[in-house]
Amino acid sequence: MRKTGLFKIIMFILLGIVVATWIFSASYINNGELVELGMYNVGFFDFFQLLFGSFEFEYFIQIFILLVSIGALYGVLGKTGKYRAWIEKIANKMKGSEVIFLLATAFVIAALTSVFDYGLSMFIFFPLLISIILAMGYDKVTAALTTFGAMLVGTIGNTISYNTAGTISSILSAESSTGIYFKIALFVLSLAALFFFLVKAKRTKILNKNADEDMFIGEKSSNKYSIVPIIVVLSVLFVLMVIGCTNWSKEFNINFFSDLNSTITEAEVKLPHFHVTTDGVDAKVEKVAIFGKLFGTVSAFGEWYYSEMAVMCLLAALIIGAFFRMKWSERLSYMAEGAKKMLAPALLVVLSYTVIYFAGNTMFYTTIASLLLSITSKFNIFFSTIVAIIGSALHVDILYVANYVVPQLATQDVNTTLIAILVQSIYGVTMFVAPTSIAVILGLSYLNIPYKEWIKKTWKLVLTLFAIVVVVLIAAMIIL
């Protein structure tokens, strides 16, 4: 197994942040003004306190649990015997139309990200798609570009999703659809660039040659069971992701699911109730929100995120195991085996999130960004782009990037639409190559692709995407 080299790079970045705290003072933006806080030097023990403290964040832990839960699901799938046979059957049927499969897959992933942006929940289906691509004879870099690369293209050209366009726009006090035509242009041109590189991708003519390099291809064995339960369960998972993780109320002003959730969880029925206290037993009949008590605190469809999808993956694994007559001990054993395979990628992803924790607590980024933006008295696209690149690499997740980078750029006298387009597009391009990128880390660690090999094979695409972004930004500067 080849090492990706990402662990060492991330650790060097964390050490680089420590050095930066001894050079640059801490500061933050308040109502458009820079507030100096002085030096926040990180010492030896401070480093480890920050490192361990980052693993206590609920959001980071949810991501970790989701990833290992996906591993548990595919651990069971791989033991059915039918899963691998299904993948190979699809690969055989697509013979002669492999490019169409690549382009269709990339389009669907990019479009879903552009409109809905399900984030890492999309990874639930990536192992399946990657297995098919590898079985068709394509290499691992092509598989990564078709899935993780397409997701980043959807980020570059994000149109109306609540997590990306909505978050950035809310900070700028603008509509999420602001600059929609420029965003559509970014989406179309970036997707066209990705298509060009996918069409040129070479593959071996021997089907299933690369299948053994796949982490979750599983074993192939003949048995009496049908593939239908697997298809049905995965389809239901996809529907649940769409219904559960789409923010219906804030993105489309649809309140049906939140109202339905309230109606069900608050529905009351009269039941005999017993209270055992120190004074004895108190028995009476009272109204009880029975479903709310039974289900506990459950988010409405539209408010689901990583924790809910993790639970669905675990339930899906148990259900598939039941269909294939696996004993409980076997199901749990296969789930543990699959989760173990995802343990290293999941830990590496959480380690990348520690960069956010380090940067957010030391607050040196604001000082660096202010120094760069103050070089010119007016808005300068070159320095603003550098600020966005640095901010994206340090803050990793678009939710954090929006909160740290957008206010910084908004201090300039420039159209807010231009800032919104610049932040999301530069963030998307940066995440193609940044060693702190969740897409890069998860894709490379999952497929066991060395970071140097990824850069070597994708730098032309990245430069093309960057050129597209610059052209659209210049056009926006002229038109707005």
Side-chain angles (χ1 to χ4, degrees):
M1 179 180 289
R2 293 179 294 174
K3 295 181 179 180
T4 62
L6 288 168
F7 176 79
K8 291 181 179 179
I9 297 174
I10 294 174
M11 293 306 296
F12 275 120
I13 290 173
L14 294 178
L15 292 174
I17 292 176
V18 172
V19 173
T21 64
W22 290 80
I23 302 173
F24 301 99
S25 64
S27 61
Y28 67 97
I29 298 295
N30 182 33
N31 295 325
E33 298 293 330
L34 182 70
V35 179
E36 291 280 358
L37 296 172
M39 301 299 293
Y40 275 16
N41 306 130
V42 175
F44 179 79
F45 287 103
D46 298 325
F47 175 85
F48 291 100
Q49 288 177 357
L50 287 171
L51 184 62
F52 298 144
S54 61
F55 281 82
E56 297 176 0
F57 264 67
E58 181 183 350
Y59 180 55
F60 301 171
I61 298 302
Q62 282 189 24
I63 292 171
F64 176 81
I65 293 174
L66 172 65
L67 295 179
V68 295
S69 298
I70 294 171
L73 169 61
Y74 280 90
V76 174
L77 284 172
K79 295 295 183 178
T80 60
K82 291 294 184 180
Y83 176 68
R84 180 166 185 165
W86 181 40
I87 289 170
E88 293 179 353
K89 184 177 181 180
I90 294 174
N92 288 325
K93 282 191 174 182
M94 293 305 300
K95 190 174 183 179
S97 304
E98 293 87 356
V99 173
I100 295 176
F101 181 86
L102 289 187
L103 301 186
T105 300
F107 172 77
V108 170
I109 293 172
L112 286 174
T113 303
S114 176
V115 178
F116 302 106
D117 191 8
Y118 297 122
L120 287 178
S121 294
M122 289 278 286
F123 181 64
I124 294 172
F125 309 98
F126 281 11
L128 169 63
L129 298 171
I130 287 170
S131 294
I132 296 172
I133 294 168
L134 294 178
M136 289 192 300
Y138 287 103
D139 64 11
K140 293 185 288 186
V141 172
T142 301
L145 279 175
T146 307
T147 50
F148 296 98
M151 188 166 66
L152 291 175
V153 163
T155 301
I156 294 171
N158 196 279
T159 50
I160 60 171
S161 85
Y162 175 74
N163 288 338
T164 301
T167 300
I168 294 172
S169 298
S170 65
I171 294 173
L172 293 170
S173 300
E175 296 292 330
S176 60
S177 59
T178 182
I180 187 67
Y181 296 112
F182 295 107
K183 294 175 181 179
I184 292 174
L186 281 169
F187 177 80
V188 173
L189 294 174
S190 299
L191 187 62
L194 179 63
F195 278 3
F196 177 78
F197 281 86
L198 290 179
V199 169
K200 290 178 62 179
K202 296 180 180 179
R203 69 178 188 85
T204 175
K205 294 183 179 180
I206 303 174
L207 293 178
N208 307 315
K209 181 180 179 181
N210 298 327
D212 292 331
E213 298 183 30
D214 186 1
M215 184 187 297
F216 287 117
I217 187 63
E219 56 192 32
K220 183 178 180 181
S221 61
S222 58
N223 54 53
K224 63 179 180 180
Y225 302 113
S226 170
I227 190 65
V228 173
I230 293 178
I231 298 174
V232 171
V233 170
L234 290 178
S235 299
V236 171
L237 262 182
F238 181 78
V239 172
L240 285 173
M241 182 189 74
V242 172
I243 297 177
C245 299
T246 301
N247 199 316
W248 299 104
S249 60
K250 294 182 179 179
E251 196 165 342
F252 301 103
N253 200 28
I254 297 174
N255 298 313
F256 171 77
F257 293 112
S258 57
D259 293 341
L260 178 64
N261 183 73
S262 298
T263 301
I264 294 174
T265 56
E266 295 174 7
E268 294 181 332
V269 294
K270 289 184 177 181
L271 292 173
H273 203 76
F274 299 91
H275 294 283
V276 180
T277 67
T278 55
D279 296 327
V281 179
D282 180 24
K284 60 182 178 180
V285 176
E286 61 180 29
K287 289 184 177 181
V288 178
I290 185 65
F291 295 110
K293 294 288 186 180
L294 289 174
F295 293 121
T297 304
V298 56
S299 299
F301 284 146
E303 299 173 8
W304 282 23
Y305 212 50
Y306 296 150
S307 58
E308 289 84 0
M309 291 311 300
V311 173
M312 293 302 105
C313 286
L314 294 175
L315 288 176
L318 293 173
I319 292 170
I320 289 173
F323 274 117
F324 284 86
R325 300 295 188 271
M326 296 177 185
K327 297 178 181 178
W328 274 99
S329 59
E330 291 176 330
R331 274 180 263 180
L332 295 176
S333 176
Y334 299 152
M335 289 171 69
E337 185 180 328
K340 185 178 179 181
K341 289 182 179 180
M342 277 302 300
L343 193 59
L347 287 172
L348 201 56
V349 167
V350 177
L351 182 63
S352 178
Y353 271 92
T354 64
V355 175
I356 301 174
Y357 193 68
F358 271 64
N361 277 276
T362 55
M363 294 187 287
F364 69 93
Y365 164 75
T366 306
T367 302
I368 295 176
S370 297
L371 289 172
L372 288 170
L373 295 178
S374 64
I375 292 175
T376 57
S377 58
K378 295 183 178 180
F379 173 78
N380 184 290
I381 191 171
F382 175 75
F383 293 115
S384 296
T385 298
I386 293 177
V387 167
I389 290 173
I390 297 173
S392 297
L394 287 175
H395 299 105
V396 182
D397 191 302
I398 188 61
L399 299 177
Y400 291 92
V401 171
N403 281 283
Y404 283 98
V405 179
V406 172
Q408 190 78 53
L409 294 174
T411 59
Q412 304 173 99
D413 183 18
V414 62
N415 192 296
T416 55
T417 300
L418 182 61
I419 294 176
I421 298 169
L422 187 149
V423 170
Q424 74 171 52
S425 59
I426 292 298
Y427 168 78
V429 175
T430 302
M431 291 299 102
F432 259 97
V433 294
T436 54
S437 166
I438 302 305
V440 168
I441 289 173
L442 189 53
L444 301 194
S445 58
Y446 178 82
L447 285 161
N448 194 29
I449 302 171
Y451 180 68
K452 289 182 179 179
E453 181 182 343
W454 172 256
I455 297 298
K456 181 180 179 181
K457 292 187 176 182
T458 61
W459 68 271
K460 292 181 180 178
L461 172 61
V462 175
L463 285 181
T464 302
L465 293 172
F466 184 73
I468 290 170
V469 168
V470 170
V471 169
V472 172
L473 287 175
I474 292 174
M477 288 178 62
I478 296 172
I479 296 172
L480 296 174

